[in-house]
Amino acid sequence: MAASVLCQATGSRVSSVLNRDVKQFGKKFLFDRNEETCWNSDQGPAQWVLLEFPQSVKVTELQLQFQGGFTGRTCRLQGSRGGANFMKITNFYPEDTNCLQRFSLSEESIVDKLKVIFEESSDFFGRIILYHLDVLGEKPQEPSGSHSPTAEQGNEQRPA
């Protein structure tokens, strides 16, 4: 059964933080499970969150909770393994709502790094406000039958 693959050793980076105020809007608030805190990007197109796992993980689902009005409209999930370049896993299209949204991947992808790119925002200035981000999956047992992200993939996803 899939469980969160995020752990204390998972590294994270974000494209920007509103007014560089990391104490109030920093990336750490994506993972604290507190409904009162959030990551708030600065304005501009193509905001992103990058996750670096301490070991390879098999990703099966992405969970996001936005603030309505500051939602990613057109989004892309990319993955990388073994230092390779990022490759597209899927596009997905969140709804402009405050509810937790789940995006299941039709094909499991094994990655060391995962990048969530918010190409277009529902906010006129391109800001993203994200209260919760989680990645579900498992640690792969056999690297031989694994599926790495490829450029040929491109499943279109709507919230589950």
Side-chain angles (χ1 to χ4, degrees):
M1 182 169 162
S4 178
V5 294
L6 299 177
C7 65
Q8 290 288 341
T10 302
S12 63
R13 293 178 36 208
V14 293
S15 53
S16 66
V17 175
L18 183 65
N19 300 325
R20 296 187 178 154
D21 187 354
V22 296
K23 288 185 180 182
Q24 189 172 359
F25 302 117
K27 64 185 179 182
K28 65 185 176 187
F29 299 119
L30 288 170
F31 315 108
D32 67 356
R33 302 202 181 276
N34 182 343
E35 293 180 2
E36 303 296 320
T37 62
C38 63
W39 166 61
N40 192 337
S41 78
D42 215 336
Q43 64 184 10
Q47 300 295 330
W48 50 263
V49 176
L50 173 66
L51 301 172
E52 298 182 49
F53 301 101
Q55 64 186 45
S56 295
V57 295
K58 185 190 308 182
V59 178
T60 58
E61 183 176 290
L62 179 66
Q63 296 182 352
L64 301 166
Q65 185 174 7
F66 296 94
Q67 177 174 316
F70 298 88
T71 301
R73 271 198 260 195
T74 303
C75 304
R76 184 172 16 126
L77 190 62
Q78 294 182 331
S80 172
R81 187 169 183 200
N85 290 333
F86 281 94
M87 302 300 281
K88 178 179 165 184
I89 296 173
T90 191
N91 289 331
F92 62 100
Y93 305 92
E95 294 177 8
D96 191 3
T97 177
N98 298 339
C99 298
L100 180 66
Q101 299 180 58
R102 302 168 193 267
F103 301 92
S104 296
L105 303 182
S106 59
E107 294 189 39
E108 298 169 344
S109 296
I110 297 178
V111 300
D112 298 331
K113 295 180 183 179
L114 194 66
K115 191 171 191 178
V116 183
I117 303 170
F118 308 102
E119 295 175 338
E120 184 182 350
S121 172
S122 59
D123 174 55
F124 178 77
F125 297 103
R127 295 169 294 189
I128 300 290
I129 299 179
L130 196 55
Y131 284 88
H132 175 76
L133 182 146
D134 202 356
V135 178
L136 302 186
E138 56 191 52
K139 296 173 187 167
Q141 295 184 352
E142 292 185 70
S144 59
S146 66
H147 176 73
S148 295
T150 63
E152 291 77 41
Q153 287 181 274
N155 301 324
E156 305 294 319
Q157 295 286 315
R158 300 281 177 188

